[in-house]
Amino acid sequence: DHIRVNLFNQPTGPTQTLLSQRGVKNFFELMFDNKVWHHICKQTNLYAKQQMQLKPDPDWKSLGVGELKSWVGCLMAMGLNKQNNLRMYWESPWRLSMVADRFTRDRFLAIRKYLHLADNSVVFDNKTSHADRLAKVRPLLNLLLQNFHSNYQPSRFLTVDEDMCKFKGRNVMKQYMRAKIVKWGYKIWK
């Protein structure tokens, strides 16, 4: 018996050309397109509605795509200017104007409180052995994978590296690897 392998002759690389004057934001928008933003807004607003049936929150206003993009931008700015406490971004002398001028502290925290990526009413119980352990993020992952596949075709040869993302909390996906410098965490491939 012989195994026959077809020649690899498909086009590879980016499927779209970004003009040189286009920046990082345009590349980011190829992956995080309108479908992704609308999905996150829809799930966040749905979760807020579900929670308000249990405990009303009269201050909540529906989240829109523009506001969500601003919120994520603020998270990125906060990642570059780290504070010990989230509330410090609104307090002197640590105030970060990019965040504090765009959102009140309460609105920022409300979005964080209700941010959701999947409908809890259709996510199955994760206690069964065959349950999807990523069910809470699966809809977002599927949208992103679609965008990754439609914007880039890998070549015949790929290099994959294994790494550990440090984590010591409780989670069934956490692994222990004795031979690694970081012994406890999530195994990731990059």
Side-chain angles (χ1 to χ4, degrees):
D1 280 332
H2 294 288
I3 297 174
R4 185 177 180 149
V5 178
N6 294 333
L7 290 175
F8 186 89
N9 59 1
Q10 68 184 42
T12 63
T15 59
Q16 296 185 39
T17 304
L18 288 177
L19 301 174
S20 60
Q21 64 264 32
R22 299 287 186 163
V24 174
K25 180 178 179 274
N26 297 99
F27 180 77
F28 181 79
E29 287 172 345
L30 287 176
M31 305 306 146
F32 274 75
D33 63 0
N34 281 333
K35 277 185 181 178
V36 171
W37 295 112
H38 285 284
H39 170 78
I40 297 170
C41 283
K42 179 183 173 188
Q43 293 305 321
T44 299
N45 289 325
L46 175 65
Y47 180 68
K49 183 179 175 184
Q50 291 168 345
Q51 290 303 299
M52 282 181 240
Q53 290 173 350
L54 304 171
K55 184 179 176 191
D57 184 352
D59 295 329
W60 174 256
K61 291 186 255 16
S62 185
L63 179 65
V65 170
E67 188 177 29
L68 177 62
K69 285 181 177 182
S70 295
W71 190 83
V72 169
C74 288
L75 281 182
M76 290 179 185
M78 291 170 160
L80 296 172
N81 183 359
K82 294 187 180 191
Q83 300 295 343
N84 293 333
N85 185 318
L86 192 61
R87 296 175 187 272
M88 292 172 79
Y89 292 102
W90 285 268
E91 297 171 358
S92 270
W94 308 282
R95 185 178 190 275
L96 185 60
S97 61
M98 181 184 288
V99 175
D101 292 347
R102 178 62 185 97
F103 289 98
T104 64
R105 185 188 68 208
D106 292 343
R107 178 61 178 168
F108 188 90
L109 294 174
I111 294 171
R112 187 179 83 158
K113 175 182 177 180
Y114 294 118
L115 187 73
H116 241 65
L117 305 173
D119 182 357
N120 284 348
S121 65
V122 296
V123 173
F124 299 112
D125 182 14
N126 279 342
K127 296 196 179 9
T128 61
S129 61
H130 59 277
D132 181 4
R133 292 182 175 159
L134 295 174
K136 292 276 196 165
V137 294
R138 180 67 59 200
L140 176 64
L141 286 177
N142 290 341
L143 287 171
L144 290 174
L145 283 172
Q146 255 180 356
N147 290 343
F148 297 158
H149 289 293
S150 68
N151 288 297
Y152 185 80
Q153 296 295 319
S155 66
R156 178 179 179 182
F157 301 103
L158 297 175
T159 302
V160 180
D161 189 22
E162 171 187 284
D163 204 353
M164 286 289 279
C165 180
K166 188 175 185 176
F167 180 75
K168 287 190 176 182
R170 291 183 181 184
N171 190 296
V172 293
M173 293 189 297
K174 178 180 70 174
Q175 294 186 8
Y176 174 74
M177 297 189 72
R178 185 174 32 141
K180 295 281 187 184
I181 293 170
V182 175
K183 305 214 180 300
W184 289 98
Y186 299 114
K187 191 188 295 188
I188 56 174
W189 292 267
K190 53 185 181 175

